[in-house]
Amino acid sequence: MSAPRTAPTEAEVSAVVARHLHREGPLLPILHDLQHEFGFIPETGFQTIAHELNITRAEVYGVVSFYPDFRTEPHGRHVLKICRAEACQSVGARALEEAALARLGLDRPGTTANGAVTVEPVYCLGLCACGPAALLDDKPLAHLDETRLTRLLAEAGA
Amino acid sequence: MSTHLNPPMKIYVPLDTAARALGADDVADAIRAAAKAAGLEIELIRNGSRGMIWLEPLVEVDRGDGRQAYGNVTPGQADALLNGTLESLGPVEKIPFFARQTRLTFARCGLIDPVSLADYEAHGGLAGLRRALALKPEEIVDEMKLSGLRGRGGAGFPTGIKWDTVRLAPAPQKYIVCNADEGDSGTFADRMIMEGDPFSLIEGMVIAGLATGATRGYIYVRSEYPDAIRILEQAIRIANQNRVLGSGILGSGHAFELEVRMGAGAYVCGEETSLLNSLEGKRGTVRAKPPLPALEGLFSKPTVVNNVISLASVPVIFERGAEHYASFGVGRSRGTVTLQIAGNVKHGGLFETAFGMTLGEAVNEIGGGTRSGRPVRAVQVGGPLGAYMPVSRFDTPLGYEEFDKAGGLVGHAGLVVFDETVDMLKMARFAMEFCAVESCGKCTPCRIGSTRGVETIDRIAAGEAEAIPLLTDLCETMKDGSLCALGGFTPFPVMSALTHFPEDFPGAAKPFKEAAE
C-alpha cells in the first residue's frame, strides 16, 4: 500500500471531482478515486464535494458512512481481509480469523498498535471453492492456514 | 530465433482470481523464465478458469496436437512442464467433472483469451448479435420468451417478460443494468464469466439494448472483484474500438454505451433497487416496489436489471436458437444452471448442467463429498439467504419450483457443503448476524428483527427453550414484513437449521412439524 497518508487539499478534491462531473451519478466513482489516491476520504473534503455536485454535506456524509469500503481515516500500511462468509466458515475461517487477531494483539478487527496492519472483515471474495480465503492488500489468498498467515503477517511487519 | 516451421508451443495459465489465489501468477512467471533459460519460444496465454478449482492452477499446453491439462502446477514444475516429463491429466474435455457438463453459457470460459475479440468470434461470439441485429425488437423479445430463460441472480423472473415491459415503456432514455454484485457466499459464476469471457456479457447487454430500445448500460461490479473490473474495462475498450459498442454497432444504425461501476462493500446492493440507488450515487437503501424498475428504474427511467449469468446466456440463445436452449432443463426451469460447488467439498468448482440434476448427485457424485473426508451434514443452497438442506433432502432436483417445494431456493445456484462438525445453531445465529450487519436500515423487520434474532438465538443456546417459539414468530414477521429479500429470506437459513437440525438447538429435541417455508 503506497497511498499517501496526508489529507488532500480543497484543490486536490476539486480536481478529482472534476474528472467525474460528466458522469451520471458521479458520487461513488469520486469517493473511490479519492480513497485510491489519498488512502482515505477526510471529512474536510465533504464540503467541496457537496458544493461541486450541488448536494448537501449531509448527503455526502450519508453515502460515505453507508458503504463499508469508505473510510474517513487512514488505515494501516497493509490491509488484511479474511473472509467470514459461510463457504469459508465450512473450512475453518473463523478460527483462522481469531488466531490472526490474537497474533496481532487485537480483540476485534482494527489496526495494530504499530500501524502495520489493519484487519477488516469481508463477506465473500468469490473464492468459495478454495477457502479459507483472504485478501492481503491486492493479493488474493486461498487454502490459507495459520502457518502461512503468520508468515505473511510477519513479512508485513506485524 | 528458432528455425522450425511449427508455431510456438502455446501455454495457457489462468488469470482467474481463484487460480491466482492458488499461485497462478508465480507459475506463469516460472514458465516464462524456464522457457527463456531453455531458449524455447512459447506463447503464454492467460485464459479464464475451466472451473475445476481444486485443480488450479490448471495449466494447459498445446504442442500442436491439442491441449493437454496439468493440475495443481507449482512454479518448481515449470521445466518438467516444458520438456514434457510432467504427468498430464489429458485433455480437459476428458476429465469426468468437465465431460459431464453441458456448457452453453460457459462454453468459451477458460478456452479462449478473455480479451481477444478475434478468439471470441472464432468460438461463436458475435453470431448472436448479428442475428439479433436483423430482428425487430419484438422478435428479439419473443426469442427470449421462447428460450424460457429466467433470472439467474436468484429471483427466477422470466427475462423475456422483463425485457418486454421495458420495450413497451415509452421514454427518451432507457437503461440496461447488469447486476454483478455477486455477494452470496458460495457463488463465483459471475466473477468467472467476467474474468474468463467478458465479451459474452457485453454482447448480451447490447442485445438487451436492441430489444428494449435502451442505449446506455452499466455493469455494477462489487469492489471485492478488482480483477473482474479490470478485465471488463479492457474488454469494453476493445469492444468500442471494434464497433461492438458505441455508435453504429457492427455497421448498423444502433448505438449502445457501456460503463463499469464499482460497488463499495455493501451486500444489500445486490438487491436491484438498492443497486439502482447506489448507481445514482446515493446510499444503497432499498426502494419500495411498485414502481417496478422496468418502468421507473435508474434515474426513474425504464430499466432492465439482469444478473451477469442471465445476460451472458443471451448470446448463445441467439447463436444456437431459443429452442435449442429450451431443450435442456426440467419443468419450468429451462436451459442450464451454473452450479457453484463450494465450501467443504473435495471437487469444488463451476459445473454447468441442465436443470434437473438432484442435489445429492451434485454434492456427492460431482463434488466428491467433503474435502475433510467426514460425512456431509448440510448444504446451504442459494447463498446466505438460502436454506440449509439436510442429507434427507438430497433427492431434490435442482429447479426453481422443485426447490421451492422442498422448502428452499436455488438462488444463484451456489452450493456450500458442510461436514458433520458444523454447529447449526451457530450457522442460524450467523444468518441473523449477517442480516444485521448488512441491513440497509430502511424497514424495521430487517433492521431490528435481525438483531433481536441474534439475541433470541443466544437465549436458546443458553438453554431457554421457551425462546424457540419466539424465534419462529420473529422469522414469520421478517418474512412477511420486510421490504426486500435480505430481511425476507434470512428466515430460510434460520428456520431450516431449526427444523432439520433441532438436535443443535437445546430444548428443540424433537423435530418440528412445520417445514421451513
Side-chain angles (χ1 to χ4, degrees):
Chain A
M1 290 263 127
S2 54
R5 308 281 123 193
T6 49
T9 63
E10 204 174 304
E12 284 172 324
V13 174
S14 291
V16 171
V17 174
R19 288 208 293 267
H20 297 284
L21 279 178
H22 67 283
R23 294 175 190 262
E24 297 180 308
L27 186 50
L28 261 67
I30 289 169
L31 296 174
H32 273 302
D33 251 19
L34 279 171
Q35 184 155 298
H36 181 74
E37 278 186 36
F38 301 98
F40 66 112
I41 308 161
E43 286 192 31
T44 50
F46 290 5
Q47 186 58 53
T48 311
I49 301 168
H51 178 76
E52 303 271 1
L53 298 186
N54 197 24
I55 56 177
T56 65
R57 200 173 153 272
E59 281 172 290
V60 178
Y61 181 85
V63 171
V64 172
S65 60
F66 182 86
Y67 296 96
D69 278 3
F70 299 135
R71 49 181 180 266
T72 51
E73 283 168 5
H75 56 45
R77 287 187 294 280
H78 299 277
V79 178
L80 174 68
K81 296 181 178 185
I82 303 175
C83 180
R84 279 189 172 180
E86 290 89 340
C88 283
Q89 285 189 45
S90 77
V91 283
R94 288 319 277 264
L96 187 68
E97 185 187 341
E98 279 164 26
L101 289 174
R103 167 151 294 271
L104 296 171
L106 297 167
D107 53 4
R108 68 174 78 88
T111 304
T112 54
N114 65 3
V117 178
T118 297
V119 180
E120 287 180 0
V122 68
Y123 296 91
C124 197
L125 295 163
L127 302 172
C128 319
C130 47
L135 198 61
L136 182 59
D137 298 331
D138 296 329
K139 194 176 164 56
L141 305 164
H143 286 170
L144 195 56
D145 58 30
E146 211 183 315
T147 314
R148 186 154 154 246
L149 186 56
T150 302
R151 199 187 69 230
L152 290 166
L153 286 173
E155 283 169 15
Chain B
M1 292 304 279
S2 63
T3 51
H4 62 76
L5 296 168
N6 296 328
M9 189 192 284
K10 280 188 179 178
I11 302 178
Y12 298 82
V13 184
L15 49 59
D16 182 276
T17 307
R20 289 187 57 227
L22 292 164
D25 289 350
D26 292 341
V27 170
D29 289 346
I31 291 171
R32 281 197 197 95
K36 200 175 171 197
L40 201 63
E41 202 185 335
I42 60 163
E43 186 187 349
L44 194 141
I45 296 151
R46 298 303 298 266
N47 58 334
S49 171
R50 295 282 213 151
M52 292 171 283
I53 306 294
W54 83 97
L55 290 174
E56 294 289 359
L58 182 134
V59 176
E60 289 174 85
V61 179
D62 187 350
R63 298 179 175 82
D65 54 354
R67 286 158 75 151
Q68 300 292 322
Y70 301 84
N72 304 119
V73 177
T74 61
Q77 292 173 325
D79 285 320
L81 185 84
L82 292 175
N83 66 29
T85 54
L86 193 65
E87 198 186 336
S88 168
L89 299 166
V92 161
E93 289 74 12
K94 296 270 171 64
I95 298 172
F97 184 96
F98 197 94
R100 284 188 68 168
Q101 299 187 47
T102 302
R103 287 219 164 188
L104 298 178
T105 308
F106 276 79
R108 279 178 296 263
C109 187
L111 195 61
I112 63 167
D113 176 348
V115 289
S116 163
L117 192 59
D119 219 0
Y120 180 70
E121 271 199 87
H123 290 84
L126 300 184
L129 176 57
R130 290 206 171 86
R131 194 179 145 223
L133 277 166
L135 299 175
K136 294 191 189 82
E138 55 267 42
E139 291 171 332
I140 299 177
V141 168
D142 285 345
E143 186 79 357
M144 286 305 292
K145 286 180 182 169
L146 192 63
S147 75
L149 182 70
R150 292 166 69 179
R152 296 287 190 256
F157 188 83
T159 308
I161 293 175
K162 191 183 274 183
W163 287 18
D164 212 16
T165 310
V166 176
R167 178 180 77 84
L168 295 168
Q173 179 69 59
K174 301 179 191 179
Y175 294 98
I176 308 296
V177 170
C178 171
N179 182 347
D181 196 49
E182 184 179 56
D184 287 352
S185 175
T187 66
F188 43 85
D190 295 357
R191 181 183 62 66
M192 275 185 59
I193 206 92
M194 290 188 285
E195 294 176 356
D197 190 16
F199 289 120
S200 68
L201 172 58
I202 294 170
E203 186 181 347
M205 291 184 75
V206 175
I207 295 173
L210 295 175
T212 56
T215 54
R216 228 168 219 283
Y218 289 98
I219 308 174
Y220 184 93
V221 189
R222 62 200 299 256
S223 61
E224 290 86 346
Y225 286 180
D227 287 4
I229 293 172
R230 185 177 47 78
I231 294 165
L232 277 173
E233 284 181 335
Q234 200 183 342
I236 288 172
R237 269 198 303 279
I238 295 165
N240 273 310
Q241 285 157 8
N242 291 278
R243 307 193 86 175
V244 174
L245 286 171
S247 55
I249 292 164
L250 298 181
S252 72
H254 297 280
F256 195 75
E257 306 283 340
L258 186 56
E259 193 182 321
V260 176
R261 284 291 175 91
M262 180 157 78
Y267 172 78
V268 75
C269 289
E271 196 283 333
E272 60 176 1
T273 61
S274 159
L275 185 154
L276 294 173
N277 276 340
S278 187
L279 268 179
E280 291 182 8
K282 299 173 183 159
R283 290 165 68 87
T285 47
V286 173
R287 299 176 186 172
K289 287 192 271 192
L292 292 172
L295 298 171
E296 284 183 44
L298 187 62
F299 302 108
S300 302
K301 299 292 190 297
T303 304
V304 167
V305 186
N306 278 153
N307 168 256
V308 175
I309 301 301
S310 311
L311 288 163
S313 299
V314 172
V316 73
I317 289 170
F318 282 84
E319 179 200 341
R320 314 273 286 270
E323 278 163 6
H324 179 259
Y325 189 81
S327 70
F328 299 94
V330 59
R332 287 178 52 225
S333 306
R334 308 314 311 174
T336 55
V337 58
T338 49
L339 298 176
Q340 297 129 85
I341 307 174
N344 192 340
V345 68
K346 198 170 168 195
H347 297 155
L350 182 123
F351 190 92
E352 182 174 356
T353 183
F355 279 101
M357 173 181 276
T358 66
L359 177 59
E361 261 181 286
V363 171
N364 291 326
E365 287 178 37
I366 309 297
T370 63
R371 196 200 295 171
S372 62
R374 296 171 190 272
V376 175
R377 182 153 187 237
V379 180
Q380 188 177 27
V381 184
L385 309 175
Y388 285 101
M389 306 293 276
V391 176
S392 60
R393 299 268 166 111
F394 267 22
D395 57 349
T396 311
L398 286 148
Y400 296 106
E401 281 70 27
E402 292 72 11
F403 250 68
D404 190 46
K405 264 186 269 172
L409 52 107
V410 174
H412 192 43
L415 313 178
V416 176
V417 181
F418 292 82
D419 72 11
E420 61 181 3
T421 61
V422 65
D423 178 341
M424 295 308 296
L425 179 138
K426 271 195 184 159
M427 299 319 295
R429 187 187 189 280
F430 177 78
M432 284 292 191
E433 188 190 347
F434 180 74
C435 181
V437 170
E438 299 292 349
S439 175
C440 82
K442 177 120 171 175
C443 71
T444 315
C446 173
R447 183 184 70 243
I448 295 178
S450 52
T451 297
R452 292 290 97 87
V454 172
E455 294 164 1
T456 310
I457 294 172
D458 283 344
R459 284 169 59 190
I460 297 168
E464 254 188 78
E466 54 277 27
I468 290 173
L470 208 61
L471 179 66
T472 309
D473 194 46
L474 177 66
C475 282
E476 282 297 313
T477 305
M478 288 176 71
K479 197 163 59 126
D480 296 338
S482 297
L483 209 48
C484 82
L486 180 50
F489 286 7
T490 292
F492 270 104
V494 176
M495 287 308 298
S496 59
L498 180 62
T499 308
H500 300 308
F501 307 93
E503 60 276 19
D504 286 6
F505 293 75
K510 55 181 195 306
F512 277 63
K513 284 269 157 37
E514 68 270 46
E517 287 173 49

